[in-house]
Amino acid sequence: MTRTSAPAQTPAPGVWEELVTAALLGTDRRTPPGIPPGPRAPAALLDAAAAETVRRRAGLRPARAARRPDPAPVDPRPALPAAAARRLAMLLADRSGTAGGGRRGTAPDLKELLPQWLAMANARGFVAPPQALPALLDAARGRTDLRPAALAFAGPRALWLARLNPDWRFVLRAMPGGDAALPRPGDTERVRELWRHGLFAERVALLTAVRAHDPAAARELLAGTWPAERAEDRLMFLDSLRTGLGPDDEPFLEQALTDRSRNVRATAAELLSALPGSALAGRMAARAAVCVAVDHTGDGPRLVVEAPHECDAGMERDGVVARAPAGRGERSWWFGQLAEAAPLATWPARLGGRTPREILALPVADDWRSELHAAWCRAAVRQRDAEWARALLGSPSSPEAGGPGAVSLAERARLLATLDSGERAVWVAGFIAAHGLSEAFQLLGVCAVPWAAPLGRAVVDALNIARDAGSYPWSFSGVMGLAERCLDPSEAGRLDGLLAAPEEAEDASPGAGGYWAEAFQRLVTTLRLRAVMAEELGGTPEAGAGEPGAADPGPATRGAGPA
C-alpha cells in the first residue's frame, strides 16, 4: 500500500508579524492568536517563534544565482614595499587614536600620521593593497580631511567597491567617474548633451572638468545657456571661471556685471578685479585714486583719504555693495571696496613714485590707516602680489607684527601664502623668535612641510623657553602636535638634551618638568617613526609632502592654538 503524506498546512498570513508585534508590546498587553494569556504566555510565544522560524527557513526555495559583479579595474601603479604595506595596516588599525582627551604618554599618535603617510605614498605613485581598501575607505568616510589623499591612493578600485557598499557612497560623489560618469572634455557631442539635460551636480562637475581642460570651451558652453539658467545656478557656474581665469574671460564677465542677480554681479566684479588689466580694474583704480593723496602741507608727507560721498549706479554695477553692514560707516565701507578692487600698481604712480614699503610707512591722517591698510591687504591676497604682501607683513620682529594692528594675524597668514615657501618659513621663524608661540599657530599652518631648518629651530627653541619658564606643555598642545607632524625628522637629534626631566625650581609649576620630558620624548619618537615611514616607502624623509596641506593640523588640534 502506498502511503501519501498529508499536505503541509499552510500557515495563516501574517503569523510572523503577529509574533513580532506581541514580542515588542509584551504578552501582558497582547497575545498572538492560539496562545492563551497568562503567566505561560511568554514561553509559548518563544516556542511559537522558534517553530515559525524553522518553518520559514525550511520553506525557502533555492534562488537563481545572481549575476557576478564585473571584475575590478586594473590599477597599473606599482605595489607597495612589504614593510610599507604593514605600516599602512598598522596606521589604519589605529584610527581610534587617543580619543578621550586623556594623557597621551610618549607614544606617537598614529592616527595623525596617516595623512602624511598617504601624501608620501601618492607622491611616489604606489597603488593601495586590495586588502587595505575597505579600511582605507572607512577611514576616508570618518575624516573628510583625509578623503582627497585616501581616494587618490585607493584609485579606480575605490569606485568599484563603492558601488557595492552604500557606506562608501561618498566615493561616487568625490571621485571623477562616479555617479556622474562624465564624458571626456573632448567628446563634444556627449558634453553638450549632458550640459543640456544633466542634473545640476552633473553640470557643475562637467563645467569644472571642461574648464580645467579647455577654459575657452567651458566659457562657450556656459555662454550658450546663460540667459536660461536660474540665478543660483549662474552663481555656481560663474565661480568655476576662477580656474584658469584670464583676459579672454573679460567680455563674458563684463556682460555678467549687468546680471539681474546681485550675487552674480558681485562675483563677476570680484573676478574682473583679479585681472589687473581689465576695464573694471581701470574704473576701480580711477575711483580709488581720487580718494587717496599725499599731503605735503605738514611737517612731512602724509596720506589723506577722502572717501566717496555716495555709491552711484556705476559703482553698484561694478560690484560695490551700497548698503554697509551694521556698525560700519557707509563711506568707509564704499572706500574699502574701491581700494580692494583697484590694481595695486595704481598706487606707486599715484603717490609720488614710492615703493609699496615707502607708501605703507607714510602716516595716514584722520584714523584712516587701518581701513586703508586692510583694503590693501585684501587686494594683495586677491592679486597674489608678493611685493605688497611683503611690505604689508613688515618685519616679523616689530611689535605690531604680534597683532592686532592694522593687519590681523589671520590676514598675515593669507599674506604669507603669497610668498614662496622659503621666505614664508624665515618670516614665521622671525616672528616666533620675537613674539613666542602664543600667536604663531595660525602662521605655522601656512608653512610648507617639513618645516625649513630656521623655522624648526625657532619652534624648538621657543618650546624650550616655555619649559624653562615653568609653563605646562598642554598650554602649547596645538603647536606641539603640529611639530610632531611638520618638524623635519633630521631635527630629532637636537632634541636629545630635552628628554630628561629637569630639576624643579621652588617656584616652578608642580610636575611640569616631567610632563615636558614626556612631551619631548613623544616628539622625538614621532620624528623617528616618520623617518622610518619614509624609508619604508623608498625615499628620503618627507619627499613629496611639501605643501601646507600635508601639514593639516588634524581634527584633534585644527584651529586650536595654545590654550
Side-chain angles (χ1 to χ4, degrees):
M1 184 177 67
T2 303
R3 299 182 60 184
T4 57
S5 59
Q9 186 178 359
T10 304
V15 170
W16 179 255
E17 288 73 16
E18 285 286 349
L19 293 172
V20 171
T21 303
L24 291 173
L25 294 176
T27 54
D28 54 339
R29 297 176 59 190
R30 180 164 180 166
T31 53
I35 297 178
R40 297 182 58 79
L45 173 65
L46 293 176
D47 289 344
E52 181 64 11
T53 299
V54 172
R55 191 197 67 75
R56 286 160 61 92
R57 289 179 179 172
L60 288 178
R61 294 180 177 178
R64 184 183 295 275
R67 177 177 173 270
R68 300 180 65 182
D70 295 331
V74 175
D75 194 330
R77 292 178 292 178
L80 279 175
R86 288 193 295 274
R87 181 71 60 191
L88 173 63
M90 187 183 305
L91 295 175
L92 290 172
D94 197 67
R95 289 202 309 275
S96 59
T98 54
R103 189 169 170 179
R104 293 184 55 194
T106 60
D109 187 350
L110 300 185
K111 174 171 62 69
E112 294 304 325
L113 293 181
L114 183 56
Q116 200 165 70
W117 188 97
L118 289 170
M120 289 190 291
N122 283 331
R124 286 156 197 170
F126 289 118
V127 64
Q131 67 275 15
L133 287 176
L136 191 62
L137 295 184
D138 280 344
R141 185 181 61 165
R143 286 180 58 177
T144 54
D145 64 305
L146 208 61
R147 285 184 185 176
L151 297 186
F153 184 53
R157 289 170 176 164
L159 275 178
W160 182 84
L161 267 179
R163 293 191 177 102
L164 302 175
N165 187 340
D167 288 347
W168 301 326
R169 194 170 296 161
F170 69 91
V171 178
L172 303 179
R173 298 189 297 269
M175 288 186 76
D179 282 342
L182 297 178
R184 294 178 182 277
D187 189 346
T188 308
E189 189 171 339
R190 288 193 60 208
V191 165
R192 291 192 178 282
E193 180 68 17
L194 184 59
W195 179 249
R196 289 194 199 98
H197 304 294
L199 300 174
F200 174 68
E202 293 172 331
R203 301 179 73 207
V204 171
L206 176 68
L207 187 64
T208 303
V210 174
R211 179 72 179 179
H213 177 76
D214 185 349
R219 193 173 54 247
E220 183 183 347
L221 201 65
L222 186 55
T225 59
W226 182 259
E229 305 287 357
R230 298 184 307 163
E232 53 267 37
D233 294 356
R234 292 199 302 277
L235 183 62
M236 290 294 293
F237 294 148
L238 196 63
D239 205 54
S240 70
L241 299 188
R242 294 182 193 277
T243 303
L245 182 69
D248 292 342
D249 296 317
E250 184 178 354
F252 182 82
L253 293 172
E254 274 286 339
Q255 190 178 1
L257 287 176
T258 59
D259 196 276
R260 53 188 180 276
S261 164
R262 187 181 69 181
N263 289 335
V264 171
R265 294 197 303 271
T267 301
E270 182 189 343
L271 292 172
L272 281 169
S273 68
L275 294 173
S278 69
L280 178 135
R283 295 194 295 272
M284 299 302 267
R287 292 179 181 122
V290 299
C291 296
V292 184
V294 180
D295 178 14
H296 295 281
T297 59
D299 295 336
R302 64 174 184 167
L303 296 180
V304 291
V305 174
E306 179 67 22
H309 290 271
E310 64 172 345
C311 181
D312 58 33
M315 289 166 63
E316 286 198 69
R317 178 187 179 277
D318 285 345
V320 176
V321 178
R323 186 171 182 176
R328 182 83 182 271
E330 283 187 329
R331 293 183 63 199
S332 68
W333 171 244
W334 300 331
F335 171 72
Q337 294 177 78
L338 295 181
E340 175 184 352
L344 288 164
T346 304
W347 301 111
R350 167 68 178 162
L351 304 176
R354 292 176 171 85
T355 65
R357 198 177 295 276
E358 291 168 340
I359 291 172
L360 292 168
L362 290 172
V364 183
D366 301 328
D367 294 331
W368 279 96
R369 182 173 181 270
S370 293
E371 191 71 53
L372 182 60
H373 285 201
W376 280 338
C377 175
R378 296 191 296 274
V381 172
R382 182 186 291 187
Q383 298 170 33
R384 309 289 299 172
D385 191 311
E387 184 180 7
W388 272 90
R390 204 173 288 122
L392 285 158
L393 283 165
S395 170
S397 60
S398 69
E400 194 178 54
V407 180
S408 69
L409 282 171
E411 288 168 325
R412 289 185 193 281
R414 288 192 284 272
L415 289 170
L416 281 169
T418 68
L419 307 180
D420 66 62
S421 59
E423 190 173 1
R424 228 179 300 166
V426 170
W427 197 94
V428 178
F431 179 92
I432 292 172
H435 304 285
L437 290 170
S438 297
E439 305 292 344
F441 187 86
Q442 205 165 8
L443 304 177
L444 286 168
V446 299
C447 293
V449 179
W451 288 338
L455 179 57
R457 285 194 292 272
V459 171
V460 172
D461 290 347
L463 288 171
N464 191 16
I465 291 171
R467 182 193 67 159
D468 292 344
S471 303
Y472 283 112
W474 46 79
S475 297
F476 300 88
S477 59
V479 174
M480 187 64 86
L482 208 52
E484 291 173 21
R485 295 185 293 281
C486 305
L487 200 59
D488 194 315
S490 64
E491 297 286 330
R494 297 188 63 247
L495 293 160
D496 286 343
L498 304 174
L499 302 183
E503 292 186 7
E504 291 188 1
E506 291 184 0
D507 56 346
S509 303
Y515 292 128
W516 273 108
E518 189 177 83
F520 282 124
Q521 288 167 23
R522 182 175 60 251
L523 175 56
V524 170
T525 306
T526 303
L527 295 180
R528 289 181 174 148
L529 176 57
R530 283 171 48 203
V532 171
M533 282 169 34
E535 290 173 6
E536 291 170 347
L537 284 164
T540 55
E542 314 300 319
E547 288 310 303
D552 192 322
T557 56
R558 189 177 298 114

